Amino acid sequence: MFSRSRRGTLRSQEDLLRKLVGSLEDLGISYMLTGSISSSFHGEARATNDVDIVIAPSKAQIEKLLSSLGPDFYSDRQAALDALARADIFNIVDMEGGWKVDFMIRKERPFSREEFSRRTTVRMGELLVSITTSEDAILSKLEWAKSSHSERQYQDALGVALVNRDDLDRDYLRRWAEELGLDQLLEKLLTEVDQA
């Protein structure tokens, strides 16, 4: 599940998550892992050099988070504060391990609030972490697939759906897919699941 650094040395993805999750929890910042880490956990594992984390911080918490990470991480304070103001993305780079971390400020739209409230705690290696549910991992990946025309994102969503086919809340998926304009893409995916 976890990957080594892209340089094959030093900090692993598990080490990185231990550092990040520890800082977020110490500062009382609500978070959830999303993106390829989530889809790999719920579906078919694939290597990724990026870590995507949705957070819901205050300005003071962002300032403390960046300070807590120390000199091993490159960050841009102003970019982080701008992202907070716009409910957008900012990133940090782990200079030791070569990882890029995208922190996504939780949006206020209804789906983002619902997705965040449904996050669940799972064990990844030795860590307990907050992560999206399998349904929300699918919807998030389909949203990225639609906006970026990425077959990789679609395949990640399909992998989650195939692994969890017997437990998926299809009513939930269809309700939010319609709201997000993903209904056709979701029906294509569910058809592939049912035919597999």
Side-chain angles (χ1 to χ4, degrees):
M1 168 74 223
F2 289 113
S3 306
R4 294 300 303 166
S5 99
R6 100 182 50 182
R7 292 181 296 201
T9 59
L10 305 174
R11 197 184 332 260
S12 70
Q13 193 176 65
E14 185 172 8
D15 294 335
L16 173 67
L17 286 176
R18 183 176 293 108
K19 169 75 172 168
L20 295 174
V21 167
S23 292
L24 291 166
E25 291 179 347
D26 287 348
L27 294 169
I29 300 175
S30 297
Y31 77 93
M32 70 178 179
L33 299 179
T34 187
S36 296
I37 287 181
S38 177
S39 63
S40 290
F41 178 83
H42 290 298
E44 297 173 0
R46 74 171 172 94
T48 177
N49 288 320
D50 296 332
V51 174
D52 299 318
I53 307 177
V54 176
I55 57 174
S58 66
K59 179 180 176 184
Q61 286 174 320
I62 280 200
E63 301 259 18
K64 289 176 183 173
L65 173 63
L66 297 180
S67 296
S68 76
L69 296 175
D72 289 344
F73 291 83
Y74 167 79
S75 62
D76 182 324
R77 175 184 172 277
Q78 192 56 54
L81 294 177
D82 290 347
L84 178 63
R86 296 188 319 266
D88 204 353
I89 298 172
F90 70 95
N91 59 59
I92 63 171
V93 177
D94 172 12
M95 305 302 284
E96 179 182 333
W99 305 101
K100 180 169 79 76
V101 180
D102 286 331
F103 283 109
M104 294 166 271
I105 306 299
R106 194 208 63 211
K107 294 178 174 20
E108 289 300 317
R109 65 183 182 160
F111 171 69
S112 296
R113 294 182 68 84
E114 175 100 358
E115 172 192 38
F116 201 71
S117 72
R118 283 168 41 93
R119 68 192 185 276
T120 186
T121 300
V122 301
R123 182 171 295 281
M124 296 177 71
E126 297 298 313
L127 300 175
L128 286 175
V129 298
S130 292
I131 194 168
T132 58
T133 65
S134 54
E135 290 88 359
D136 293 320
I138 290 168
L139 291 165
S140 178
K141 283 290 184 175
L142 289 181
E143 197 166 30
W144 279 107
K146 182 178 179 181
S147 66
S148 65
H149 306 288
S150 168
E151 182 62 23
R152 176 73 267 175
Q153 301 292 332
Y154 180 82
Q155 290 301 318
D156 285 348
L158 181 59
V160 175
L162 287 167
V163 168
N164 297 278
R165 74 172 81 210
D166 296 331
D167 299 314
L168 289 177
D169 183 339
R170 292 189 179 208
D171 290 339
Y172 176 87
L173 284 168
R174 287 188 167 109
R175 175 166 61 94
W176 284 110
E178 183 176 1
E179 177 81 17
L180 297 168
L182 303 171
D183 38 339
Q184 290 183 347
L185 205 51
L186 176 66
E187 292 308 323
K188 175 179 182 285
L189 180 142
L190 293 177
T191 297
E192 288 188 51
V193 169
D194 292 339
Q195 291 176 347

